[in-house]
Amino acid sequence: MSGRARITLFAALATLLTSWSLVPLVESTTWLPQAALLLGVQCAVGAGARRVPLARALTVAAQLLVSLLLLVILFGGKGGSTGTGPMAYLVTDFGALFRQGVQDVSTFAIPAPLTDGIRLLLVTGVLLIGLLVDLLAVTARTAAAAGLPLLALYSVAAGLSGGGDASWISFLLAGCGYLMMLLAEGRDRLAQWGRVFGGGPREGASSTSGLGPVGQVTAPVRTGRRIGAVALGLALVVPAALPALGGGLLGPGGEGEGSGSGAGGTISAVNPLVSLQSNLNAQDNRVVLKYRTDNPQRGDQYLRILALDEFNGVKWEASGRALTDVPERMPSPPGLGGPVLQSATEVRTSVSAADTYTQRYLPMPYPATSVEIGGKWRFEPAGRTLVGDQLGKDRFQNVQGAMYTVHSLLLKPTAQQLQKAPAPDPAIRAEYTKLPDNLPPVVGDTARSVTQGAKDDYTRAVKLQDFFAVNGGFRYNTKTASGTGPQAVARFLADKEGFCIHFAFSMAAMSRSLGIPARVAVGFTPGDAQSDGSINVSMRDAHAWPELYFEGVGWTRFEPTPRSGITVPDYSRPQVPTAQPSAPAPLPSQSAVQPSAAPSKSDDCPPEAKKLGECGAAAPQQNASGGGGPSVTAVLGWTAGVAALLGLPLLPLLWRSRLRARRLGTGEVAAAWRELGDAAWDVDVVPDDALSPRRAAARLVELGRLEPQAAGAVHRVAGALERALYAPPGAEVSYPGLADDVLLVRAGLLAGVGRRARLRALLLPRSAARLSWALTRRWSALTSSVATRVQTLRLRLRLPLRGRG
């Protein structure tokens, strides 16, 4: 393999190893093999263009053109554009997907789902960094400067991910890739001048000449080490200076901004898409909240975090609103009054949050009338939300470890009261029925088709709920991509598969298209009742539901999500015979909210039972026998991985031990002499093949500082080698103690150096370079053989020239 080809290979490897730092940003790693394949093609195109040869600008242009074509072929048709023809496939659709990826990046929290747009951005970013590294390291032959784009890639990825347990692995891979590229370039430059041999005194080299012992050039080595040290240091320091993104709405590190004290300040928008999906799919279903309540209807005890009341066509989010001090007694909820308010009862709920739950928004039942909690909190009246105030620079009050008590109203509206509700306040209707102009017409058309024949808003709302939860053919699946953009609702209506976010967002948008004020609430379902009377709320209880506004009742919860264990409100249930149970559905268990439970078996569940949340009762039995521990396959896989990781540093030691045993086992003097030279090389006594055996032995004794006994062993092996070289054929040149003398000299060499040098000689022997040389010779021989055969085949296939006179 030529030097330039070797640098090309290591430049691509350095880019790929540095790209591993992007893995924590998304939930899946399937994009990495695609990026590796396209990066390999890009580097191969560059290598071929340089071999032609082409000008540097044309080489880069060829790599860029091929990379763009590969990206278009890989991602064409996934952008959802409305154009037709080749241009729409190659340009319009590709650009739409790129813009969608930019929107997904600004929308999702880390780790984000691997949407097609995010996959395009990741692969494109790796290819651009790889092109810059290839340009600097191979085309411009400045491998040291190629560390800058690698550093930029690693620093941005590490800064966004905020570090973590695997950050040191990413740093180690990126640093190793960069150093290997530097070593490959250094070897190529050294090969152009020839290999430098010799060894001299260890001290006394001039610091100004740049020369070491006996003409060894040390300045490039020192420069390379300095560049590597500076680059690795920057890679450690720069990520610490970059701001880390939070973990989303429901996970640790809640987002949003609050202001200081006083009546000012606003609550900023928060998007819960990824947090909800990641919590529902969480492997560690940890408990985040525990509470006790005197609410007799525990199935309706939802813990609400905030309301998303603004739909801009791309996503639902909480609009920016002014914050006030938390009142001792909260004002009456908007729209609530008349008989519903008179029949309401006040319930008390005591909540304790886990130390690992760092949400800034306070989960509490709706509508709360008063809250008893310590710390600095602010109140947002429209959504009746409590949000943590700012405690200092980049520090905010959160729920972590908090214990608080909430008094809330238990409302009992009836279907007749909702059906006869008067028209909502014009200001409410104007604000909460806004829809973006780019909303696909299919959303409104489907809403009108589903609610055809309904005379009032309540009947329309129930028909929309039944369309999603009962008779529309929808399936619950938390593995479905969250999706954003104007086409998200239309795609969900076509695919009919999703989780609570899809159902809540779609029903709210369709309700607004019918003129019904609507918004989306985010929080937790009631949780699992415990034997001691308390209730545990875990990560998989995260939920989203639509709230519709009815004058006299206020914001009213509906449940379009067809998930087992979900409690459908009494006022939205159909009138059933008195023989049927009227009690609320049982509380959802942890196994009931598993993504793969009951939803896929909707055909086996009667519609009314599905609506009451009574499907999937056998789900807990399926997991009853399965322990929580890892499987045997997982244990064996981790054991093998740990063993391989621990054994990797021992490979050079094992290889040298095996090679030494094979050489000394033959009893040949030449093999013993090679082993003696390699043992000296391992302790930094570089071999000099230009010396005679006797002079080489004297040099070894001097530089190795050997004791008399080991020195005598060296001269005996050298004498045997002279006899082997000059004795007549058939003469006996070996002697019985040959192997023991070699081992004695090796022990003397190791004893004459410090502990650090001794460990390096054992674990990282310098003589292992012979293995690399051997592989290089074999590769060169193979490529030469292939080239010869190809040339021969060309000569055989060449047609005779005609018409020449």
Side-chain angles (χ1 to χ4, degrees):
M1 180 185 296
S2 64
R4 178 166 287 189
R6 187 183 297 106
I7 299 175
T8 303
L9 176 62
F10 280 102
L13 183 60
T15 304
L16 193 59
L17 291 178
T18 308
S19 303
W20 181 263
S21 58
L22 297 171
V23 169
L25 303 182
V26 290
E27 296 176 346
S28 175
T29 59
T30 55
W31 64 272
L32 197 56
Q34 293 179 339
L37 179 60
L38 269 61
L39 183 63
V41 175
Q42 177 180 273
C43 293
V45 171
R50 284 185 290 265
R51 192 174 182 83
V52 169
L54 293 179
R56 292 183 177 182
L58 294 179
T59 299
V60 176
Q63 291 178 283
L64 187 61
L65 178 61
V66 171
S67 300
L68 288 176
L69 290 177
L70 291 175
L71 287 173
V72 170
I73 293 174
L74 183 61
F75 292 97
K78 297 183 179 181
S81 65
T82 57
T84 58
M87 289 302 296
Y89 178 78
L90 296 177
V91 179
T92 308
D93 193 80
F94 186 72
L97 185 61
F98 192 89
R99 291 190 297 271
Q100 186 64 56
V102 174
Q103 293 177 355
D104 291 343
V105 168
S106 61
T107 299
F108 295 142
I110 296 171
L114 188 60
T115 63
D116 290 332
I118 293 180
R119 185 192 300 269
L120 172 62
L121 293 183
L122 289 172
V123 176
T124 303
V126 172
L127 289 180
L128 287 178
I129 295 297
L131 183 61
L132 289 176
V133 172
D134 186 83
L135 171 63
L136 294 173
V138 188
T139 304
R141 304 188 69 82
T142 55
L148 295 177
L150 295 177
L151 177 62
L153 176 62
Y154 169 77
S155 299
V156 171
L160 292 177
S161 63
D165 296 336
S167 59
W168 69 272
I169 299 179
S170 301
F171 170 74
L172 183 63
L173 292 176
C176 289
Y178 177 58
L179 292 180
M180 286 191 297
M181 183 176 60
L182 285 179
L183 292 175
E185 192 211 25
R187 179 177 177 182
D188 180 58
R189 290 181 181 273
L190 186 62
Q192 297 177 15
W193 291 88
R195 191 178 306 278
V196 179
F197 289 94
R202 297 175 180 269
E203 301 176 352
S206 173
S207 60
T208 60
S209 65
L211 297 179
V214 193
Q216 290 182 341
V217 182
T218 58
V221 176
R222 292 177 182 176
T223 303
R225 290 175 180 174
R226 290 170 183 170
I227 292 174
V230 171
L232 295 180
L234 287 175
L236 282 175
V237 173
V238 172
L242 291 177
L245 298 185
L249 174 64
L250 300 179
E255 298 141 353
E257 295 294 330
S259 63
S261 60
T266 60
I267 179 173
S268 67
V270 177
N271 194 294
L273 285 174
V274 180
S275 300
L276 272 175
Q277 188 172 23
S278 61
N279 291 337
L280 292 172
N281 292 321
Q283 298 297 324
D284 55 335
N285 189 26
R286 63 182 183 273
V287 175
V288 293
L289 298 170
K290 290 186 177 183
Y291 69 92
R292 294 177 181 271
T293 182
D294 56 4
N295 188 344
Q297 299 180 3
R298 292 187 179 179
D300 294 326
Q301 186 76 6
Y302 280 51
L303 297 180
R304 185 173 173 275
I305 295 178
L306 82 163
L308 311 177
D309 54 4
E310 187 174 287
F311 184 41
N312 58 12
V314 176
K315 57 186 176 181
W316 285 83
E317 57 187 3
S319 57
R321 297 181 183 273
L323 300 177
T324 65
D325 293 332
V326 180
E328 184 176 350
R329 183 77 180 180
M330 296 182 183
S332 179
L336 179 60
V340 178
L341 180 60
Q342 295 174 4
S343 63
T345 57
E346 190 170 88
V347 296
R348 182 176 185 271
T349 304
S350 298
V351 187
S352 62
D355 291 336
T356 57
Y357 185 59
T358 56
Q359 173 59 239
R360 279 189 59 202
Y361 299 89
L362 191 68
M364 54 186 183
Y366 182 86
T369 56
S370 65
V371 181
E372 302 170 10
I373 187 173
K376 297 179 63 176
W377 296 88
R378 309 282 286 160
F379 178 61
E380 191 274 291
R384 303 181 71 82
T385 300
L386 258 66
V387 58
D389 200 358
Q390 188 167 3
L391 301 177
K393 184 179 180 181
D394 299 329
R395 291 179 59 246
F396 296 89
Q397 180 71 52
N398 58 46
V399 194
Q400 183 179 19
M403 300 182 66
Y404 56 98
T405 301
V406 182
H407 294 267
S408 59
L409 294 178
L410 176 60
L411 304 179
K412 301 177 182 179
T414 63
Q416 292 76 13
Q417 291 172 331
L418 292 169
Q419 192 170 14
K420 297 179 180 179
D425 182 90
I428 296 290
R429 181 188 293 274
E431 179 178 1
Y432 293 99
T433 57
K434 292 180 180 178
L435 286 173
D437 296 335
N438 58 352
L439 189 69
V442 67
V443 178
D445 295 342
T446 304
R448 287 185 290 271
S449 174
V450 170
T451 60
Q452 187 176 8
K455 303 292 185 181
D456 54 83
D457 288 347
Y458 165 75
T459 305
R460 296 186 186 96
V462 173
K463 284 193 172 186
L464 286 179
Q465 177 181 268
D466 292 347
F467 170 67
F468 290 110
V470 179
N471 51 35
F474 289 85
R475 293 192 306 160
Y476 182 80
N477 182 9
T478 60
K479 302 297 183 181
T480 304
S482 301
T484 59
Q487 301 295 328
V489 178
R491 286 197 298 267
F492 171 64
L493 293 176
D495 298 339
K496 294 190 175 184
E497 185 175 71
F499 59 104
C500 57
I501 283 290
H502 298 89
F503 292 96
F505 284 14
S506 299
M507 181 173 174
M510 295 171 73
S511 298
R512 287 193 174 191
S513 70
L514 298 175
I516 306 174
R519 65 187 185 186
V520 176
V522 179
F524 295 98
T525 53
D528 296 328
Q530 306 299 304
S531 59
D532 61 352
S534 64
I535 300 176
N536 289 351
V537 177
S538 62
M539 297 293 288
R540 292 180 191 165
D541 291 317
H543 189 50
W545 60 92
E547 290 182 341
L548 276 58
Y549 182 86
F550 293 89
E551 194 67 37
V553 182
W555 290 105
T556 308
R557 176 175 64 92
F558 283 83
E559 273 297 356
T561 304
R563 192 180 84 179
S564 61
I566 289 291
T567 302
V568 178
D570 290 335
Y571 48 77
S572 66
R573 295 177 179 177
Q575 300 298 321
V576 295
T578 56
Q580 271 192 318
S582 58
L587 292 175
S589 62
Q590 294 181 2
S591 59
V593 297
Q594 291 285 351
S596 61
S600 62
K601 300 181 180 179
S602 56
D603 294 338
D604 300 332
C605 181
E608 295 304 324
K610 176 191 293 184
K611 190 174 181 181
L612 293 174
E614 297 173 353
C615 298
Q621 300 178 0
Q622 297 175 359
N623 297 333
S625 60
S631 62
V632 177
T633 305
V635 172
L636 293 178
W638 279 106
T639 303
V642 171
L645 185 62
L646 294 178
L648 189 62
L650 300 178
L651 289 179
L653 174 63
L654 298 177
W655 174 78
R656 281 291 289 123
S657 300
R658 182 176 178 273
L659 181 62
R660 184 183 307 109
R662 188 175 62 184
R663 285 172 172 175
L664 299 182
T666 60
E668 296 180 358
V669 177
W673 180 256
R674 284 195 297 270
E675 175 58 33
L676 194 62
D678 286 353
W681 193 7
D682 292 340
V683 295
D684 210 14
V685 180
V686 182
D688 189 350
D689 297 337
L691 301 178
S692 65
R694 189 169 301 180
R695 291 193 59 185
R699 175 175 174 270
L700 179 58
V701 171
E702 178 185 358
L703 297 180
R705 300 186 181 92
L706 296 178
E707 298 294 333
Q709 187 176 4
V714 172
H715 288 293
R716 285 195 295 271
V717 177
L721 180 62
E722 287 182 338
R723 291 193 298 272
L725 293 175
Y726 305 114
E732 183 65 29
V733 296
S734 183
Y735 59 96
L738 179 62
D740 295 335
D741 282 346
V742 174
L743 296 177
L744 177 61
V745 174
R746 178 175 178 270
L749 290 171
L750 293 175
V753 296
R755 179 180 301 178
R756 184 176 178 180
R758 191 181 307 121
L759 289 176
R760 188 182 63 182
L762 293 174
L763 299 179
L764 296 173
R766 295 180 180 273
S767 59
R770 296 190 184 278
L771 182 62
S772 175
W773 297 345
L775 293 177
T776 302
R777 287 194 299 269
R778 293 183 181 181
W779 177 257
S780 300
L782 178 61
T783 54
S784 299
S785 176
V786 171
T788 302
R789 294 185 180 183
V790 170
Q791 185 65 21
T792 303
L793 184 61
R794 285 180 178 177
L795 293 175
R796 290 180 179 178
L797 296 178
R798 180 177 297 176
L799 297 176
L801 299 177
R802 298 180 180 179
R804 300 178 62 179

